[in-house]
Amino acid sequence: MSHKAAPTAVIADDERLMREQIVSRLKEAWPELVIVGEATNGLEAVAMARAQEPDIVFLDIRMPELDGIGAARALLGQCHVVFVTAYDQYAITAFEQGAVDYLLKPADPERLKLTCQRLQERLAKNEEEPNDMDVLLDQLSRRLGGEGKSRDYLRWIQASVGSSIRMISTREILFFRAEDKYTRVQTEGFEALIRKPIKELADELDPDEFWQIHRAILVRVDAIDQVSRDFRGQQIVQMKGNNEKLEVSRSFNNLFKQM
């Protein structure tokens, strides 16, 4: 990989808001860095990187078509790779053990600044990626959801509030409720809207943390205050810090067998 006078980068993430956040914070942390492309999936990222020959590619771990690890394999020896992940501590441990650069969503300015400093040092020394990068990628792949390992569940929700991005920890969320074309994200202090449907959220959230009680509702289990029955005998869930009554559909009555 050749070092250019003005370092260049490609940003790959299937979430537009996250791409915009990374680009914005990179401009603050490393003004000289030129963003030469933005990709929405792994295959697009590989094609763009091969065409543009950037110094660095920022790869979201979970992308359609080809994930970040697959894209990194395809780009071995061509550029420096920084993984971007929304997932939890075991994933971070895997990155650190493998000495691979990573960013945890939401992109923390201090962490991003440190990553940029490391990349600048590598570019200045014209360093290549480690010779055993393919082995490290195999280890990461196994650690991040393959071969019987624990699944990496969604830990952050990205919601657009006005012209800004709100990053909401799943630990803050009381429930998700489908409403028209959007899904409402309800916390104790505020609500936000996202486009991700309940079905996708149910697949991506930890089933021990969130239960689906209705085709349109997911609730955080440890935020349930009480479950009662209305005059029709219908189970009703009430969450801590919120007065809204959430109806349990008959398909999910078995969740509260004692009722």
Side-chain angles (χ1 to χ4, degrees), residues 21-256:
Q21 185 191 65
I22 293 174
V23 169
S24 174
R25 293 191 173 172
L26 277 171
K27 286 179 180 177
E28 296 173 5
W30 194 355
E32 299 81 13
L33 184 67
V34 178
I35 308 301
V36 294
E38 295 182 31
T40 60
N41 61 61
L43 291 178
E44 192 177 301
V46 171
M48 193 174 291
R50 286 175 175 168
Q52 298 289 342
E53 297 186 346
D55 296 292
I56 307 149
V57 177
F58 291 81
L59 293 171
D60 183 20
I61 285 290
R62 299 299 183 196
M63 290 187 290
E65 306 295 339
L66 183 68
D67 66 15
I69 293 174
R73 278 200 187 97
L75 296 172
L76 275 175
Q78 297 181 40
C79 55
H80 293 284
V81 169
V82 178
F83 288 115
V84 182
T85 178
Y87 300 97
D88 215 6
Q89 185 60 45
Y90 76 90
I92 299 172
T93 302
F95 291 130
E96 290 177 340
Q97 287 176 346
V100 177
D101 277 314
Y102 72 93
L103 291 173
L104 186 64
K105 296 181 182 180
D108 177 72
E110 289 304 313
R111 171 72 204 184
L112 183 58
K113 184 178 178 181
L114 176 61
T115 297
C116 288
Q117 288 173 349
R118 289 177 178 174
L119 291 166
Q120 288 167 354
E121 290 172 3
R122 289 180 183 178
L123 290 174
K125 296 175 183 177
N126 202 26
E127 288 184 3
E128 301 288 332
E129 292 286 4
N131 291 331
D132 58 352
M133 188 65 173
D134 56 339
V135 177
L136 295 178
L137 291 175
D138 286 340
Q139 292 173 350
L140 284 172
S141 183
R142 289 194 296 271
R143 188 70 182 266
L144 293 173
E147 302 180 10
K149 297 293 183 180
S150 300
R151 270 197 60 186
D152 45 330
Y153 295 109
L154 194 62
R155 300 299 179 190
W156 292 89
I157 297 295
Q158 304 171 50
S160 180
V161 180
S163 60
S164 63
I165 302 168
R166 186 107 187 209
M167 302 300 297
I168 309 170
S169 167
T170 56
R171 299 299 305 154
E172 296 179 59
I173 297 168
L174 300 178
F175 61 87
F176 297 90
R177 186 165 197 161
E179 296 181 348
D180 297 324
K181 297 179 181 179
Y182 297 89
T183 297
R184 172 158 52 104
V185 182
Q186 185 68 55
T187 73
E188 194 167 333
F190 65 93
E191 62 181 50
L193 296 176
I194 59 174
R195 289 188 178 273
K196 191 183 289 284
I198 290 291
K199 186 178 184 302
E200 286 186 25
L201 286 167
D203 288 339
E204 296 177 11
L205 292 163
D206 187 341
D208 290 330
E209 186 178 10
F210 284 88
W211 285 357
Q212 185 164 7
I213 63 168
H214 188 282
R215 63 184 176 81
I217 304 171
L218 283 164
V219 299
R220 199 180 91 234
V221 180
D222 64 3
I224 294 174
D225 186 30
Q226 62 179 9
V227 182
S228 58
R229 288 187 183 273
D230 64 12
F231 67 94
R232 302 166 298 163
Q234 189 72 44
Q235 291 178 342
I236 301 295
V237 171
Q238 184 128 9
M239 309 300 289
K240 298 171 184 175
N242 185 272
N243 294 324
E244 191 165 343
K245 297 186 186 322
L246 306 174
E247 186 173 301
V248 182
S249 68
R250 298 194 185 281
S251 302
F252 299 99
N253 279 348
N254 63 307
L255 291 170
F256 308 102

